[in-house]
Amino acid sequence: MTSLEKTLIEGHLAVEAPAGVPVWDIDPYDADILENPAAFYSELRAKGPFVYIPKYAILICGRFKETKEVFSDHARFVSSRGVGLVDFKLADPWRPASIILEVDPPEHTHVRRVMAKVLSPKVMREQTELFEALANELIAEVVEQDEIEAVADIAERYPTTVFPRILGLKESNGQHLLDYGAMVFDSVGPDNQIRRNALANGGAVVPWIMEQCKRDNLVVGGLGDEIYQYADDGTISEDQAGLLVRSLLSAGVDTTVTGIGSLLYCLAENPEQYELLKQQPELARPTFEEVLRYTSPVHSFFRTANEDTEVSGVKIQEDTKILCLLASANLDEEQWPCAPDFDITRKVKGHLGMGVGVHGCVGQNLARAEVGAVLQAILAQVDKIEFNGTPEWRPGNSIRSLSSLPIKLTKKAA
Ligand code: OVV
């Protein structure tokens, strides 16, 4: 068979099931599974280190060990062929590839270093006052309300307010930022209704996003301008600077929106944990790490095998797309004692909620600064967090986020 006769499925080569690997006739992108994935993850981990999904001709993994191995071994399992179902070697991505996400070392290393400097812990610490002032203001407002729809009123509102300011966007539009994020993250999955909706909603938004990436539209002193300064000194090109601003706009909003929503969900679901946190506020940081482990805002990304190789005795052929279920790895009982329990005192280091390896979230200091500020404001002002209705999850091809979170906050006595 010549390469032209090979079958493509969802933009990648349709490989066959490796010997000994269970074949599972299930759609991991089924809306019911995406909304409520815990049972699917347990069954996946029970079946073995890898499972073959005929619907998409892919391997999937959800045990901690193999997920970490595949996700972090950038030499064998590359990102440059796309972190979704489409293999960039065989089909075009929906937008020009990201120069930090969809690239491998050594090209990746140089660009990553620039972004790591722009998003360093020191830079974020310098913004603590702004983060906290905006968080205190927002919580002071909502704590007076009888009923709160925490997705719109807190989770979406905070990042769409603070993030454009930190970036230095001259013009902002929260809905455009959210819609573009949905496009980017839902594009990771198959050509299903979720992806089609996101791309249809986002269509008008792409030119707006590209416009905001231009230097003239970025305030001096913001993170966007910082990136362009690395173009001024020749470290990167002007075009690269624009694409790195695009990366911030792609990955920076929906992720932190999800992180904040999921934090509130966890605290409402586990009131005894919030009581403990009030008594030991030094647990604020580990609390967010446990939220990341327990809810995994980004549930999965792909890697592509760039050579014939073997993991845990399974032969994996070149060109195989592997769906790495970070969210499942974060619930693996082999790795996490009492994995199904939300426990802010557990040893949570090493979770995969921000990825692992050279592609581990480069914005993690910014994410922690934002969520940390919100949590600090809550601890200062809120005595009790309760559900005020049934929370609902939104099925996403890469992000699992709440679509609705009705809560009631009880104000702390002055
Ligand atoms: C979805 C996503 C995650 C991380 C980075 C990017 C996108 C990017 O556009 O660089």
Side-chain angles (χ1 to χ4, degrees):
M1 195 158 75
T2 71
S3 62
L4 285 173
E5 288 167 324
K6 288 179 177 173
T7 312
L8 288 195
I9 178 164
E10 298 285 346
H12 68 90
L13 199 70
V15 300
E16 276 165 22
V21 169
V23 173
W24 197 5
D25 193 11
I26 195 173
D27 182 359
Y29 293 97
D30 181 283
D32 292 335
I33 290 178
L34 293 173
E35 277 173 48
N36 238 318
F40 162 67
Y41 292 157
S42 315
E43 202 173 337
L44 167 64
R45 290 189 305 268
K47 281 179 186 287
F50 293 92
V51 168
Y52 179 81
I53 303 291
K55 183 171 169 81
Y56 302 118
I58 57 172
L59 291 181
I60 68 177
C61 59
R63 290 184 182 175
F64 184 86
K65 183 178 174 289
E66 288 80 17
T67 303
K68 182 175 176 177
E69 179 171 341
V70 172
F71 209 65
S72 59
D73 188 336
H74 55 79
R76 289 186 296 157
F77 303 108
V78 297
S79 290
S80 55
R81 293 171 69 169
V83 297
L85 271 163
V86 174
D87 184 348
F88 293 1
K89 213 168 148 176
L90 301 171
D92 286 334
W94 70 278
R95 61 170 192 171
S98 163
I99 62 166
I100 186 161
L101 178 72
E102 294 151 332
V103 65
D104 306 314
E107 296 80 9
H108 170 262
T109 315
H110 180 70
V111 169
R112 166 84 188 198
R113 202 168 283 143
V114 170
M115 283 296 254
K117 281 188 202 157
V118 171
L119 295 161
S120 72
K122 179 168 174 287
V123 171
M124 293 313 135
R125 271 197 304 275
E126 287 163 7
Q127 302 289 343
T128 305
E129 260 177 60
L130 175 66
F131 286 128
E132 295 194 347
L134 291 173
N136 286 327
E137 205 175 291
L138 173 58
I139 299 302
E141 189 187 317
V142 295
V143 81
E144 301 296 340
Q145 293 169 211
D146 292 335
E147 298 183 341
I148 300 166
E149 176 43 81
V151 172
D153 298 349
I154 304 176
E156 291 184 348
R157 216 172 127 199
Y158 185 72
T160 55
T161 305
V162 76
F163 187 71
R165 286 190 55 172
I166 293 286
L167 235 77
L169 293 191
K170 281 188 183 158
E171 181 198 324
S172 187
N173 181 320
Q175 197 55 51
H176 285 357
L177 292 172
L178 291 166
D179 288 347
Y180 189 66
M183 270 179 118
V184 171
F185 282 98
D186 287 333
S187 291
V188 167
D191 181 23
N192 58 9
Q193 203 55 51
I194 296 168
R195 188 180 198 265
R196 284 196 288 266
N197 285 348
L199 290 174
N201 284 343
V205 162
V206 174
W208 182 84
I209 290 285
M210 295 319 290
E211 191 61 27
Q212 310 320 310
C213 295
K214 292 182 182 163
R215 183 166 215 170
D216 286 350
N217 295 324
L218 296 161
V219 179
V220 173
L223 297 185
D225 176 65
E226 286 279 320
I227 292 174
Y228 272 98
Q229 286 182 27
Y230 287 97
D232 292 342
D233 73 10
T235 308
I236 55 173
S237 70
E238 287 264 331
D239 286 351
Q240 286 181 309
L243 280 169
L244 287 178
V245 176
R246 192 194 70 169
S247 284
L248 287 181
L249 295 174
S250 301
V253 177
D254 297 54
T255 46
T256 46
V257 165
T258 305
I260 293 167
S262 296
L263 166 72
L264 292 165
Y265 172 88
C266 289
L267 297 178
E269 190 195 34
N270 301 276
E272 80 296 343
Q273 295 285 304
Y274 188 57
E275 284 305 312
L276 179 63
L277 179 58
K278 285 195 302 186
Q279 282 152 29
Q280 298 185 50
E282 69 278 8
L283 290 175
R285 260 186 172 258
T287 295
F288 180 47
E289 297 310 309
E290 176 66 349
V291 170
L292 288 173
R293 182 198 71 83
Y294 185 73
T295 66
S296 299
V298 175
H299 57 74
S300 61
F301 275 130
F302 286 85
R303 294 290 188 253
T304 312
N306 205 37
E307 57 186 76
D308 292 339
T309 185
E310 194 176 313
V311 175
S312 300
V314 171
K315 291 215 174 355
I316 299 175
Q317 79 167 78
E318 187 179 350
D319 306 315
T320 304
K321 280 279 178 185
I322 307 169
L323 179 62
C324 299
L325 287 155
L326 305 168
S328 174
N330 278 341
L331 296 172
D332 187 346
E333 306 251 13
E334 294 285 313
Q335 180 70 19
W336 311 103
C338 305
D341 299 341
F342 178 76
D343 174 5
I344 64 174
T345 66
R346 77 161 66 241
K347 290 199 180 100
V348 68
K349 207 169 168 285
H351 69 75
L352 305 186
M354 299 265 201
V356 59
V358 299
H359 288 286
C361 180
V362 76
Q364 57 185 276
N365 307 304
L366 175 51
R368 291 198 180 97
E370 285 188 33
V371 182
V374 171
L375 187 49
Q376 161 282 130
I378 290 170
L379 281 167
Q381 302 183 52
V382 176
D383 192 47
K384 235 162 85 179
I385 307 170
E386 292 166 284
F387 290 128
N388 188 35
T390 310
E392 276 162 38
W393 294 92
R394 189 197 317 264
N397 285 341
S398 180
I399 285 189
R400 179 165 177 261
S401 197
L402 290 149
S403 57
S404 174
L405 180 59
I407 57 167
K408 203 169 105 47
L409 300 180
T410 307
K411 196 175 167 177
K412 249 188 172 172

